[in-house]
Amino acid sequence: MQSAMALSFSQTSFTRPNHVLGSTGSVFSTPTSLRFCGLRREAFGYSTSNQLALRCERIRIPSRKSFQVSASASSNGNGAPPKSFDYDLIIIGAGVGGHGAALHAVEKGLKTAIIEGDVVGGTCVNRGCVPSKALLAVSGRMRELQNEHHMKSFGLQVSAAGYDRQGVADHANNLATKIRNNLTNSMKALGVDILTGFGSVLGPQKVKYGKDNIITAKDIIIATGSVPFVPKGIEVDGKTVITSDHALKLESVPDWIAIVGSGYIGLEFSDVYTALGSEVTFIEALDQLMPGFDPEISKLAQRVLINPRKIDYHTGVFASKITPAKDGKPVLIELIDAKTKEPKDTLEVDAALIATGRAPFTNGLGLENVNVVTQRGFIPVDERMRVIDGNGTLVPNLYCIGDANGKLMLAHAASAQGISVVEQVSGRDHVLNHLSIPAACFTHPEISMVGLTEPQAKEKGEKEGFKVSVVKTSFKANTKALAENEGEGIAKMIYRPDNGEILGVHIFGLHAADLIHEASNAIALGTRIQDIKLAVHAHPTLSEVLDELFKAAKVESHATTRTVSEKVVV
């Protein structure tokens, strides 16, 4: 699953920003040039070719120098910054976001320290995407082995499939340990100082960690992530009423489990539990399941992922009270109507998983020392991840990335934001296009998306006065999918026919999480449909699902196409 899902108090689990670029709070005056790129991954600090940067569009942005002068003049007396520094960069939080920022900072020649009060890897590695992928790998194989019709279609005969619960749990735990060690070793090998203890901001460019350790840095990044969000009235005991943190330990496989919330977290755990033999009941506050997905994708996914499985659901209801099982009694769930708040039903189940999203972990960070006021727990930032104080003024040399700022609660988004901040503090301003960042749900089959949903795109088109078109292709027409007997699924693209701009792509089908990146990179680089439809895809591969999608799009004849020159040497 994704390491962190967007918090919604109506028990949904994913939101996507309507815009990403702007100048809110800007105090710049002198424009310079910026190379604008999207997501860039540098997992272990290896430098990449400059060829990609040379292909990025050049846009006009304000200079960093004028920002430093203006922002420093608006520190509002929050204490005098030090004159010399222990580090160029201090990062509070060693999750995926902090790790990505640290490695990029070392590449840029910055003396860097990272502070972690728990364990390296944060939510994603220890309690999120990494161990959940281990469980989902097991559920995928179990589901395939249990599908007698599917196996017979290959001419295979398989005896009854079973599993060892502790062995499955150990697989998830061992994977998390391995990845955590890899992250730790990669930072140590590159000279990042890993400081142990809870970190907090003591004042401008000053950080405290542990009991009384104080260090200074030219720039500070807050990357403290998030924790599971548990609504009021729900009592979590860690055994029969659990969050995703507990569920990943797989200490039990209940016969009947209620999952509160049908977003990414809930969907993925429903895939795991039903494959291992549980019956599942979804409790969703909104009127339809999977509310964060494109409606057409949600409808198809429900037909494939929910209806044929041992899953039932209640929509338009809140779980107003959940009492853990005790004294031989089951877990008791009291449901109320989400709109009227009138009592609706009562459920008795063996266990309940609270999958209502995640809340930012920002308490105790000393934000009051720099006059920062959180908004629903999130640290307010501008489009460059610079922290904004209670007066709406930029806090000099202080940034916040990842779940704690709430822009897009995904592990890879945190890493991308961290890299973007390091670019800025290294003197090369950078704005991350959040609409180019993909998301995925690792069910069987998978769901992935990037950009806008169809309703969002149409709303944007109406406001800005352009037409929106939609084109779809099916996995049933793809040779590789048919060879795998996995033809269930579609790919969908929302675009502007007047200029070929890709507004959004949504995929439901085999390896959708891997396929989405061609579309996300196209959005990040500003590639238009009339250009990418000329690209060559290997046959037979799943990538041809997207190839057919691009080729099926109808772009108006006046839209320009780039000329590609190629010298062929025989």
Side-chain angles (χ1 to χ4, degrees):
M1 77 186 62
Q2 307 300 329
S3 71
M5 307 303 159
L7 174 64
S8 169
F9 291 95
S10 61
Q11 299 187 2
T12 62
S13 60
F14 180 82
T15 57
R16 184 173 294 277
N18 292 324
H19 60 86
V20 292
L21 299 177
S23 57
T24 304
S26 175
V27 292
F28 294 97
S29 58
T30 306
T32 62
S33 174
L34 163 67
R35 295 188 185 277
F36 174 76
C37 300
L39 180 62
R40 182 178 174 213
R41 300 288 295 180
E42 297 184 36
F44 290 97
Y46 298 122
S47 61
T48 58
S49 169
N50 289 328
Q51 292 177 352
L52 177 62
L54 293 174
R55 294 176 58 192
C56 298
E57 293 184 47
R58 296 186 69 87
I59 62 174
R60 304 292 291 175
I61 57 92
S63 70
R64 171 172 169 80
K65 181 178 180 181
S66 60
F67 157 65
Q68 290 177 319
V69 173
S70 301
S72 297
S74 60
S75 59
N76 295 325
N78 290 325
K83 295 181 179 179
S84 61
F85 303 97
D86 300 310
Y87 293 95
D88 295 314
L89 179 66
I90 292 174
I91 304 165
I92 303 175
V96 171
H99 174 263
L103 296 190
H104 197 58
V106 171
E107 181 185 332
K108 293 293 184 180
L110 303 180
K111 184 181 180 183
T112 304
I114 193 164
I115 300 171
E116 180 53 61
D118 188 13
V119 288
V120 171
T123 294
C124 175
V125 173
N126 300 287
R127 300 173 297 278
C129 38
V130 170
S132 71
K133 296 299 96 55
L135 296 184
L136 285 159
V138 172
S139 71
R141 284 165 174 78
M142 279 294 295
R143 198 172 296 284
E144 186 173 20
L145 292 172
Q146 291 169 342
N147 189 334
E148 185 177 352
H149 175 75
H150 180 74
M151 299 306 292
K152 281 186 176 181
S153 68
F154 288 113
L156 299 177
Q157 296 179 354
V158 180
S159 58
Y163 69 91
D164 170 34
R165 182 200 59 78
Q166 188 59 51
V168 175
D170 289 344
H171 172 52
N173 182 64
N174 291 340
L175 178 63
T177 299
K178 181 177 181 179
I179 301 301
R180 180 170 61 248
N181 290 339
N182 287 346
L183 296 186
T184 303
N185 292 336
S186 67
M187 289 191 292
K188 287 182 177 179
L190 292 172
V192 176
D193 287 348
I194 302 176
L195 309 177
T196 302
F198 185 86
S200 62
V201 178
L202 199 59
Q205 299 172 291
K206 190 179 298 183
V207 171
K208 176 183 177 182
Y209 74 96
K211 286 187 177 181
D212 51 10
N213 302 300
I214 298 174
I215 52 177
T216 60
K218 293 179 183 177
D219 294 287
I220 299 168
I221 296 177
I222 296 172
T224 47
S226 62
V227 295
F229 170 66
V230 179
K232 292 181 180 179
I234 297 177
E235 181 184 346
V236 174
D237 67 351
K239 299 293 183 182
T240 60
V241 180
I242 58 178
T243 67
S244 58
D245 286 0
H246 306 109
L248 288 166
K249 298 177 183 178
L250 202 70
E251 293 183 349
S252 67
V253 179
D255 291 334
W256 185 10
I257 183 169
I259 298 179
V260 184
S262 64
Y264 289 81
I265 300 174
L267 274 179
E268 290 185 351
F269 274 109
S270 76
D271 196 289
V272 171
Y273 280 120
T274 54
L276 299 182
S278 299
E279 294 185 22
V280 170
T281 296
F282 273 120
I283 299 171
E284 172 57 55
L286 297 184
D287 292 332
Q288 71 283 333
L289 296 175
M290 295 171 277
F293 299 91
D294 181 88
E296 187 171 8
I297 297 295
S298 294
K299 185 176 180 180
L300 176 59
Q302 180 173 333
R303 180 171 65 81
V304 177
L305 300 177
I306 294 178
N307 295 346
R309 300 177 181 178
K310 293 181 179 179
I311 300 176
D312 65 354
Y313 52 88
H314 300 265
T315 57
V317 295
F318 282 120
S320 61
K321 184 177 182 182
I322 300 181
T323 306
K326 51 187 171 182
D327 301 327
K329 296 180 180 180
V331 174
L332 189 66
I333 303 176
E334 298 179 19
L335 303 180
I336 62 172
D337 188 280
K339 295 177 181 177
T340 67
K341 305 301 185 292
E342 295 294 323
K344 194 79 177 283
D345 203 352
T346 300
L347 301 179
E348 294 182 352
V349 296
D350 298 308
L353 167 63
I354 312 306
T356 49
R358 300 187 64 84
F361 182 68
T362 54
N363 289 333
L365 288 179
L367 298 173
E368 66 281 0
N369 295 328
V370 285
N371 191 33
V372 172
V373 179
T374 61
Q375 300 172 359
R376 292 190 300 128
F378 294 105
I379 296 175
V381 296
D382 70 355
E383 71 277 8
R384 290 175 174 82
M385 309 304 123
R386 299 174 303 202
V387 174
I388 301 171
D389 70 14
N391 298 319
T393 304
L394 294 174
V395 180
N397 309 99
L398 183 62
Y399 302 81
C400 178
I401 64 172
D403 294 0
N405 69 34
K407 278 186 172 290
L408 191 55
M409 300 179 77
L410 301 167
H412 48 282
S415 181
Q417 290 173 359
I419 291 170
S420 178
V421 169
V422 170
E423 286 289 292
Q424 294 172 58
V425 302
S426 301
R428 178 180 177 270
D429 207 347
H430 183 275
V431 176
L432 178 66
N433 179 1
H434 284 76
L435 285 179
S436 72
I437 298 178
C441 184
F442 294 86
T443 47
H444 298 90
E446 296 173 344
I447 309 171
S448 64
M449 66 201 68
V450 65
L452 304 174
T453 64
E454 185 176 347
Q456 288 172 337
K458 287 183 175 178
E459 181 181 356
K460 180 179 176 67
E462 289 177 3
K463 287 182 178 179
E464 299 182 14
F466 60 81
K467 183 181 177 182
V468 172
S469 293
V470 176
V471 65
K472 290 170 276 189
T473 56
S474 173
F475 277 70
K476 292 177 180 177
N478 180 266
T479 302
K480 181 69 179 295
L482 293 177
E484 299 275 354
N485 278 330
E486 296 284 357
E488 192 73 72
I490 65 169
K492 172 180 180 178
M493 179 169 65
I494 304 110
Y495 67 100
R496 289 182 57 167
D498 61 336
N499 62 8
E501 179 185 358
I502 300 171
L503 300 174
V505 174
H506 305 263
I507 309 173
F508 174 65
L510 184 65
H511 295 303
D514 299 306
L515 294 175
I516 195 64
H517 295 92
E518 183 172 11
S520 66
N521 288 336
I523 293 175
L525 298 173
T527 305
R528 299 302 170 99
I529 295 169
Q530 57 269 33
D531 300 313
I532 200 169
K533 69 165 52 183
L534 301 177
V536 180
H537 297 71
H539 175 77
T541 63
L542 292 174
S543 71
E544 292 175 291
V545 171
L546 281 176
D547 184 34
E548 293 300 324
L549 193 67
F550 299 138
K551 285 180 168 56
K554 305 298 182 184
V555 180
E556 294 175 10
S557 57
H558 63 78
T560 59
T561 301
R562 298 178 189 174
T563 301
V564 180
S565 299
E566 199 173 280
K567 182 178 180 181
V568 179
V569 178
V570 180

